[in-house]
Amino acid sequence: GLTIYLDGEYLPEEKAVVSVFDHGLLYGDGVFEGIRAYHGRVFKLKEHIDRLYESAKSILLEIPLSREEMQEVVLETCRRNNIRDGYIRLVVTRGRGDLGLDPKKCPRPTVFCIAATIQLYPPEFYEKGLEVITVPTRRNVPEALNPRIKSLNYLNNILAKIEAGLYGVQEAIMLTSDGYVAEATGDNIFIVKNGKLITPPPHLGILEGITRNTVMALAREKGMAVFEKTFTRHDIFIADECFLTGTAAEIIPVVKVDGRPIGDGRPGAVTWELIHAFRELTKVDGPAIYP
Ligand SMILES: Cc1ncc(COP(=O)(O)O)c(CNc2cccc(C(=O)O)c2)c1O
């Protein structure tokens, strides 16, 4: 079984339990990160930890470890599970309280870290590309619950995922309340038009993805023009290429949206070039797990 980090201890998974009074469970009151390990390194670990602390600050949740201590928790949890290539879930909740929702009743946040092997997406997702639809469920509005906070509140994303399933497709694209394209349920979205990369700006109300930011940097290093601009479904339909980015998915081509084939209906050349560049980067980026 796995060894789990929980509140300062490394425990066998059967002992790694949280209280039924934990506000992460009762109210989704908490933040998390999904991180990948490749080739014995934890990819973009600093960026993930920085985002975790930003999300926590935004909900006035004080994490009881320093960023350096948190980095060591992630690396040590990987070591104790012999992870060289895997998936890490890092979670901080408001902690155990009473049945009221008042965070003041939670004296100490719960912190846990899971490091496990990862179920990869089947290769054909990348070779053939995904068919997706835009769904009725809109992305949370920033003025209510800002999607830039990676919180434990994923019901908005889950409802969109359910709607994709109802139509027999694997992924859903959520629009903003104004009808602009926001993101998928667990991934950011890019379109390619005349060699230019376009992706929604974070302030639109999306998670500022680390894979998104990495792909933007890789594209710019290759001399491609990259724009953060709002766009609509029509812009996707007339795009040359479309792809999604996320920690679990990495970079996945999208070849059909709402029944419209994108480009020639097959993964595009720019998408493939970025997939290869990303895979190269995963070989060298991030702190080594083992000395
Ligand atoms: C709503 C949303 N948007 C974009 C992303 C991509 O962000 P990153 O490039 O930083 O990962 C996410 C993150 N989504 C995410 C993260 C980790 C695991 C899984 C999973 O599908 O198991 C999904 C997300 O939840």
Side-chain angles (χ1 to χ4, degrees):
L2 294 175
T3 297
I4 310 290
Y5 172 87
L6 173 59
D7 293 336
E9 296 180 295
Y10 291 94
L11 303 169
E13 60 184 277
E14 58 276 1
K15 288 197 167 55
V17 293
V18 293
S19 162
V20 293
F21 296 98
D22 193 294
H23 281 205
L25 168 67
L26 293 177
Y27 300 110
D29 187 354
V31 295
F32 81 100
E33 282 295 326
I35 310 168
R36 295 258 323 244
Y38 298 95
H39 311 288
R41 293 179 175 279
V42 181
F43 187 67
K44 297 290 177 188
L45 180 53
K46 179 183 181 313
E47 291 79 355
H48 280 284
I49 288 179
D50 285 346
R51 188 172 64 186
L52 182 79
Y53 279 74
E54 285 174 358
S55 298
K57 178 173 187 182
S58 195
I59 68 169
L60 277 172
L61 173 54
E62 195 166 333
I63 298 179
L65 286 87
S66 70
R67 292 170 194 241
E68 294 72 28
E69 287 167 333
M70 191 65 83
Q71 163 143 332
E72 187 50 32
V73 162
V74 172
L75 295 172
E76 181 63 15
T77 308
C78 287
R79 289 182 203 116
R80 290 182 184 232
N81 292 281
N82 305 313
I83 294 289
R84 295 193 59 78
D85 295 275
Y87 181 76
I88 300 145
R89 182 56 62 96
L90 187 54
V91 180
V92 183
T93 82
R94 194 75 64 177
R96 182 192 168 113
D98 65 17
L99 288 176
L101 58 74
D102 186 352
K104 288 200 290 295
K105 299 289 183 60
C106 302
R108 186 177 53 78
T110 298
V111 182
F112 62 84
C113 183
I114 302 164
T117 51
I118 181 159
Q119 294 76 32
L120 289 174
Y121 286 77
E124 57 268 13
F125 273 39
Y126 299 89
E127 281 137 26
K128 283 184 2 203
L130 287 187
E131 177 180 359
V132 305
I133 57 167
T134 57
V135 290
T137 298
R138 300 300 171 93
R139 193 74 177 99
N140 289 333
V141 293
E143 60 272 29
L145 176 57
N146 201 320
R148 294 191 63 188
I149 300 166
K150 195 169 174 72
S151 84
L152 294 174
N153 280 240
Y154 261 59
L155 208 46
N156 179 217
N157 316 50
I158 289 160
L159 292 174
K161 188 82 171 180
I162 290 170
E163 285 165 350
L166 293 175
Y167 290 86
V169 297
Q170 293 119 329
E171 229 350 299
I173 293 173
M174 290 181 274
L175 307 178
T176 64
S177 54
D178 296 330
Y180 291 109
V181 172
E183 57 184 334
T185 63
D187 307 284
N188 292 109
I189 184 169
F190 284 80
I191 55 176
V192 182
K193 182 74 171 172
N194 303 324
K196 297 185 180 69
L197 247 68
I198 307 159
T199 195
H203 61 257
L204 189 68
I206 61 169
L207 183 73
E208 185 175 346
I210 287 163
T211 316
R212 167 191 182 275
N213 292 353
T214 302
V215 163
M216 288 171 68
L218 287 171
R220 285 174 170 147
E221 281 160 25
K222 287 173 173 296
M224 289 180 204
V226 181
F227 300 93
E228 295 179 276
K229 273 174 41 179
T230 57
F231 55 86
T232 64
R233 293 168 67 237
H234 173 71
D235 297 294
I236 304 179
F237 301 152
I238 63 171
D240 302 321
E241 302 181 33
C242 176
F243 59 87
L244 306 179
T245 63
T247 292
E250 298 175 354
I251 299 168
I252 287 205
V254 169
V255 294
K256 187 178 270 190
V257 180
D258 292 340
R260 286 81 163 175
I262 308 302
D264 64 4
R266 287 176 304 142
V270 170
T271 306
W272 270 122
E273 190 179 350
L274 291 169
I275 287 173
H276 291 304
F278 184 85
R279 287 195 177 143
E280 282 309 301
L281 185 63
T282 65
K283 293 174 185 166
V284 297
D285 183 276
I289 298 165
Y290 306 96

